Amino acid sequence: MDTSHLAEHAGAAGSFFASIFVVATLSMRTMIPLRVFAILTNIVLIATAIPIHNYPTLVLHSVLLPLNVYRLHQMLQLVRDVKKSVSSDLSMEWLKPFMTERKCRADEVLFYKDEKADSMYYIVSGRYRLVESGIELPVGAIVGEFGMLSPSNVRTQTLECIEDGLVLSVSYDQVEQLYVQNPAFGFYLLKLASARLFENIGKLEERLAQQTPPTVAAETA
């Protein structure tokens, strides 16, 4: 069998396996397995295109392969960062690449209690206060995430800027897309939000304890 026939058979076999990977890719519901199968498809099609000198296919999938590898790495890194946050400092810095900047002025209200919630914020600089509870939020804090978890999607407090600064915002739609792409991300996000909720409850209990006057012992006769 000459070289041309070998190339043809290799091309046919490669096309068959590539078709299987394409069908598998289209059937994936989450992003990580989708990227894995996309990478396998790229590799098979590159290997198939070389012996038959199919340069357009070779060039196309040579470009798509590193892109799919990068996207897979990005999603795996996101899940690792969320896991790390759950077990350490409850930081949400891993969301920063998906957020947009917003400059805030003193006395500006970012959102009001009971209004419809559609985004969360990461504090980069400045000073901010939750009006109803009187809690001042530090740089690095995330605020507004509980509106996403609330059945009614409404704000539970008013957020006011008390010193000029910068925040990053991300919409709930973007967070939901990340969840759909990778359910593991959503699971750890839920754990993180729950941990932050209990942390806030603890802070409120400490403040109430500090504000409660000491019990005065009853005078004895």
Side-chain angles (χ1 to χ4, degrees), residues 5 22 36 41-42 46 56 58 72 103 111 122 124 154 166 190:
H5 284 124
V22 169
V36 170
T41 302
N42 296 147
I46 288 171
L58 179 61
L72 177 62
K103 293 181 180 179
F111 56 75
Y122 178 90
V124 178
V154 297
L166 178 72
L190 182 60

Side-chain angles (χ1 to χ4, degrees), residues 36-50 61 65 69:
V36 170
F37 275 94
I39 289 169
L40 293 174
T41 302
N42 296 147
I43 293 172
V44 170
L45 288 174
I46 288 171
T48 301
I50 292 174
H61 289 277
L65 178 58
V69 170

Side-chain angles (χ1 to χ4, degrees), residues 96-114:
K96 288 172 70 173
F98 305 94
M99 306 178 93
T100 56
E101 290 187 359
R102 173 177 171 180
K103 293 181 180 179
C104 301
R105 299 289 184 184
D107 298 325
E108 178 182 352
V109 175
L110 281 74
F111 56 75
Y112 291 91
K113 182 181 178 180
D114 295 328

Side-chain angles (χ1 to χ4, degrees), residues 90-177:
L90 305 183
S91 169
M92 286 193 174
E93 288 208 11
W94 43 270
L95 262 180
K96 288 172 70 173
F98 305 94
M99 306 178 93
T100 56
E101 290 187 359
R102 173 177 171 180
K103 293 181 180 179
C104 301
R105 299 289 184 184
D107 298 325
E108 178 182 352
V109 175
L110 281 74
F111 56 75
Y112 291 91
K113 182 181 178 180
D114 295 328
E115 75 177 13
K116 196 70 174 178
D118 60 3
S119 58
M120 64 177 74
Y121 300 90
Y122 178 90
I123 297 175
V124 178
S125 62
R127 295 174 58 205
Y128 304 83
R129 180 177 58 208
L130 294 169
V131 176
E132 286 76 15
S133 63
I135 294 177
E136 187 170 327
L137 302 172
V139 170
I142 280 279
V143 61
E145 75 273 26
F146 295 131
M148 180 175 62
L149 303 176
S150 167
S152 56
N153 287 126
V154 297
R155 300 294 187 191
T156 57
Q157 295 197 62
T158 299
L159 179 64
E160 176 186 37
C161 176
I162 54 179
E163 183 181 289
D164 292 2
L166 178 72
V167 299
L168 301 177
S169 66
V170 60
S171 71
Y172 293 162
D173 288 339
Q174 289 174 287
V175 177
E176 288 174 3
Q177 287 173 20

